[in-house]
Amino acid sequence: MNHLKEKIFFAILGIPVLICLAAILWIILILSTGISTLRWELLTTSVLQGGIFEMVIGTLYLLIGAVGVATPIGVLAAIYLVEYSSKGRFARIIDQALNNMAGVPSIVVGLFGYTFFSRLLGLGISMAAGWLTLMLMILPIIVRGTEEALKMIPSSFKEAALALGASRWRAIHSVVLPAAAPGIITNILLGMARVAGETAAILFTSCVLVTRGLPKSPLEPVMALAFNLFVKITVLGESSERVFGIAIVLFLIVVSIAAAAIVLRIYYRRKQPWLR
Amino acid sequence: MVKVEIRNLNVWFKTNHVLRNINLKVKENSVTAIMGPSGCGKSTLLRAINRMNEIIEGCRTEGEVLIDNQNIYDKNTNVYELRRRVGMVFQKPNPLPKSIFENVAYGVKIHRMTSGSKIADIVKRSLEEAALWDEVKDRLNDSALTLSGGQQQRLCIARALAVNPEIILLDEPCSALDPIATAKIEMLIRKLSEKYTVIIVTHNVQQAARVSDYAAFLYLGELIEYGPTRQIFENPRNELTEKYITGGFG
């Protein structure tokens, strides 16, 4: 009787796993219809000649720029929250604000970015407006990730530095931060992977369907894979294999960033015995 | 010569009155042991001497701690310089996640005491003083975390010595070590007292008897008895002290 119960129970537990597997297979199946259109030359050929060069580079520009803006702000905010603010009211308010920020739907963030950065600050449809809007989405991820990484560092490291006569900031930047750096970088990469396919945030703020070459300044609009997919499917009604080819490229970019983060994490786990 | 004088010291953590009216004079170039059962406040007393209690939230200190007749709780005390003069070694060896060399050089660098090749001399001298040089001289660039527990603790001692301290505080430095490593550290402590004033916290009564010149017995935040180690062990005045050193409780 017990044996039967167990079998039934495991069967029930297995169903969600099967659903996930089926979904992944389904995605791969759909994407694979685009494989036939992929050529290495596509990556290096201009859009004007039927390639996707500007889209790939544009996507990377947006990602790197957004992370570039979000990283210093996010890391400093996390240091403040972990090391300086005592668990007072102010820290709780910031904490709650971050939770809310992470929960804002991306289309709302995009709308805010459009009205605030593009219109009010006059950045227009530009890469810079896209960076700032994406930053709003990455910031909670980076702050939370950095907080986690900082909390993993044993307090004995900081105590050792303080006992030698180091100031608090000195102890943080010469001991705590270097030890936490791999964890922080891992989390930044994961944040990057999360927003790499983000469409709504750049929809109104920074993208156009076609540009002549790459943007020459942050104030120029940019092409991006996700935006291109969105317009081709919804506006132009294209659903050819070519669209799926673009989707594969975007998918691979996301997966490789996430993979890099995981490899980095495994490598440093091994080198940092206090994480074990 | 009195090196450290503690006057009417009271310490609270939030509402918990951890140290009650402590008065104590520590002699220069001697080893003073602070004994007592867990939770009696002996670590707090030690950390009052380099103001390390301050990094704990909700800590309040009243009274005076004088080093060379200067109250270190004065408003104009430079706490970084104080912690250079008063080195500390912790219960669990806590080398920084850096190389052996960088661990010893760390304090020298933050205090900008010297630069270039002179740092290497200080590192060598400090490691020799901590009886570690021969074991690590060929692997100074290895991570300090590759050393054994006993070596790590001697590295922490070398790190404290590198910044030219006058007083060394040791907070149960052997409690995480095996008997052989413990014996090495105890020998080292005896030797250090020739040059430095050493204050060691221990809950190991035999250790206090072996290494110290003076011993203090702390119980529930109060200093019960203090005097030459010999007298404390052979002829304790207080009943509690006698009970503790004979293993009655603890």
Side-chain angles (χ1 to χ4, degrees):
Chain A
M1 190 58 205
N2 268 338
H3 193 64
L4 183 69
K5 250 192 197 165
E6 192 159 286
K7 272 197 169 167
I8 295 172
F9 197 64
F10 270 108
I12 293 171
L13 284 178
I15 291 171
V17 179
L18 281 180
I19 293 175
C20 293
L21 273 179
I24 292 169
L25 277 178
W26 192 247
I27 292 172
I28 292 173
L29 204 70
I30 293 176
L31 285 177
S32 62
T33 59
I35 284 181
S36 59
T37 63
L38 284 182
R39 306 273 181 280
W40 278 114
E41 303 88 74
L42 272 182
L43 294 177
T44 53
T45 311
S46 164
V47 174
L48 300 174
Q49 272 116 45
I52 57 170
F53 175 69
E54 289 90 341
M55 287 179 222
V56 174
I57 300 299
T59 300
L60 296 179
Y61 273 7
L62 280 171
L63 275 181
I64 291 164
V67 166
V69 184
T71 297
I73 301 175
V75 170
L76 289 175
I79 292 174
Y80 175 78
L81 285 173
V82 174
E83 304 284 351
Y84 284 94
S85 76
S86 40
K87 283 114 214 110
R89 202 147 111 229
F90 185 59
R92 275 212 306 278
I93 291 172
I94 299 179
D95 211 61
Q96 204 49 50
L98 274 170
N99 282 341
N100 293 334
M101 219 167 135
V104 176
S106 59
I107 188 80
V108 177
V109 176
L111 211 57
F112 169 80
Y114 174 69
T115 48
F116 189 73
F117 299 126
S118 297
R119 300 284 293 275
L120 201 69
L121 296 188
L123 292 174
I125 305 296
S126 69
M127 213 152 58
W131 288 345
L132 294 171
T133 312
L134 282 173
M135 173 198 79
L136 295 178
M137 302 199 65
I138 307 181
L139 209 50
I141 305 172
I142 292 185
V143 175
R144 286 277 176 260
T146 305
E147 277 183 309
E148 287 313 308
L150 289 174
K151 284 178 186 161
M152 296 274 264
I153 305 306
S155 60
S156 63
F157 289 173
K158 203 171 69 185
E159 262 192 343
L162 292 176
L164 281 166
S167 65
R168 220 155 146 198
W169 172 240
R170 179 92 199 202
I172 290 167
H173 87 81
S174 68
V175 176
V176 180
L177 271 187
I184 295 172
I185 293 168
T186 305
N187 280 298
I188 290 172
L189 285 175
L190 287 176
M192 217 164 149
R194 272 258 209 109
V195 298
E198 182 49 49
T199 317
I202 54 174
L203 188 58
F204 324 116
T205 53
S206 59
C207 285
V208 289
L209 192 56
V210 182
T211 57
R212 198 178 285 275
L214 292 168
K216 282 161 209 72
S217 91
L219 292 174
E220 282 182 28
V222 66
M223 296 183 69
L225 290 163
F227 178 80
N228 200 271
L229 273 177
F230 172 76
V231 175
K232 279 207 172 121
I233 295 170
T234 56
V235 183
L236 305 180
E238 252 185 73
S239 64
S240 66
E241 286 151 358
R242 249 186 68 85
V243 178
F244 288 117
I246 295 173
I248 293 175
V249 175
L250 182 57
F251 181 73
L252 288 179
I253 289 176
V254 175
V255 169
S256 37
I257 296 172
I262 291 164
V263 169
L264 195 74
R265 179 181 288 173
I266 293 170
Y267 176 72
Y268 278 102
R269 280 260 155 98
R270 224 173 277 156
K271 272 187 65 176
Q272 300 184 307
W274 63 87
L275 291 180
R276 268 181 235 138
Chain B
M1 251 275 289
V2 173
K3 184 72 182 173
V4 183
E5 182 175 353
I6 295 167
R7 278 194 201 153
N8 304 325
L9 183 75
N10 283 280
V11 177
W12 291 262
F13 290 124
K14 302 233 165 85
T15 55
N16 188 9
H17 198 168
V18 186
L19 287 181
R20 295 162 187 266
N21 226 25
I22 305 286
N23 284 283
L24 191 77
K25 285 179 186 169
V26 175
K27 244 190 89 195
E28 194 166 16
N29 294 351
S30 67
V31 178
T32 302
I34 303 171
M35 315 180 282
S38 304
C40 69
K42 49 194 192 306
S43 288
T44 305
L45 178 57
L46 198 70
R47 294 163 72 104
I49 302 170
N50 63 350
R51 288 179 53 174
M52 280 293 279
N53 284 326
E54 281 167 23
I55 67 172
I56 299 162
E57 223 183 285
C59 168
R60 189 159 64 86
T61 306
E62 271 175 20
E64 294 182 332
V65 175
L66 291 92
I67 296 178
D68 294 336
N69 292 318
Q70 286 285 318
N71 181 14
I72 61 166
Y73 284 92
D74 262 353
K75 276 212 177 74
N76 49 16
T77 301
N78 178 345
V79 69
Y80 309 124
E81 174 62 12
L82 167 74
R83 290 181 186 150
R84 183 196 67 70
R85 291 174 61 202
V86 186
M88 185 165 205
V89 176
F90 295 82
Q91 187 169 355
K92 217 176 135 229
N94 61 349
L96 299 168
K98 299 173 184 287
S99 70
I100 294 168
F101 184 93
E102 285 301 325
N103 261 277
V104 184
Y106 184 78
V108 180
K109 284 183 182 167
I110 58 176
H111 291 289
R112 298 209 177 89
M113 295 169 70
T114 183
S115 60
S117 62
K118 291 222 180 92
I119 292 184
D121 295 341
I122 294 179
V123 169
K124 178 166 186 271
R125 193 207 69 210
S126 308
L127 285 167
E128 279 170 348
E129 244 184 312
L132 189 60
W133 174 252
D134 288 332
E135 290 161 62
V136 301
K137 62 182 177 205
D138 300 320
R139 47 188 286 214
L140 290 174
N141 292 319
D142 286 8
S143 165
L145 302 170
T146 61
L147 296 172
S148 74
Q151 289 174 325
Q152 288 189 3
Q153 199 60 303
R154 276 178 283 148
L155 179 70
C156 292
I157 294 174
R159 185 174 66 188
L161 297 180
V163 291
N164 253 328
E166 296 155 33
I167 301 165
I168 312 277
L169 309 175
L170 302 142
D171 189 357
E172 298 191 32
C174 303
S175 65
L177 305 182
D178 63 63
I180 294 169
T182 299
K184 279 189 187 162
I185 302 264
E186 286 181 3
M187 256 159 60
L188 183 57
I189 291 171
R190 285 305 322 164
K191 202 155 172 295
L192 289 176
S193 69
E194 291 166 12
K195 213 176 138 189
Y196 310 94
T197 305
V198 180
I199 307 176
I200 176 172
V201 156
T202 176
H203 59 215
N204 179 337
V205 176
Q206 284 79 28
Q207 182 170 62
R210 281 194 300 266
V211 302
S212 69
D213 305 305
Y214 296 87
F217 174 58
L218 219 60
Y219 185 65
L220 298 177
E222 286 182 60
L223 183 64
I224 304 294
E225 194 163 349
Y226 175 57
T229 302
R230 241 190 124 146
Q231 184 225 307
I232 295 271
F233 276 83
E234 285 174 5
N235 193 13
R237 290 201 196 102
N238 194 294
E239 208 180 316
L240 277 169
T241 316
E242 182 165 5
K243 243 173 145 183
Y244 181 74
I245 57 178
T246 54
F249 65 95

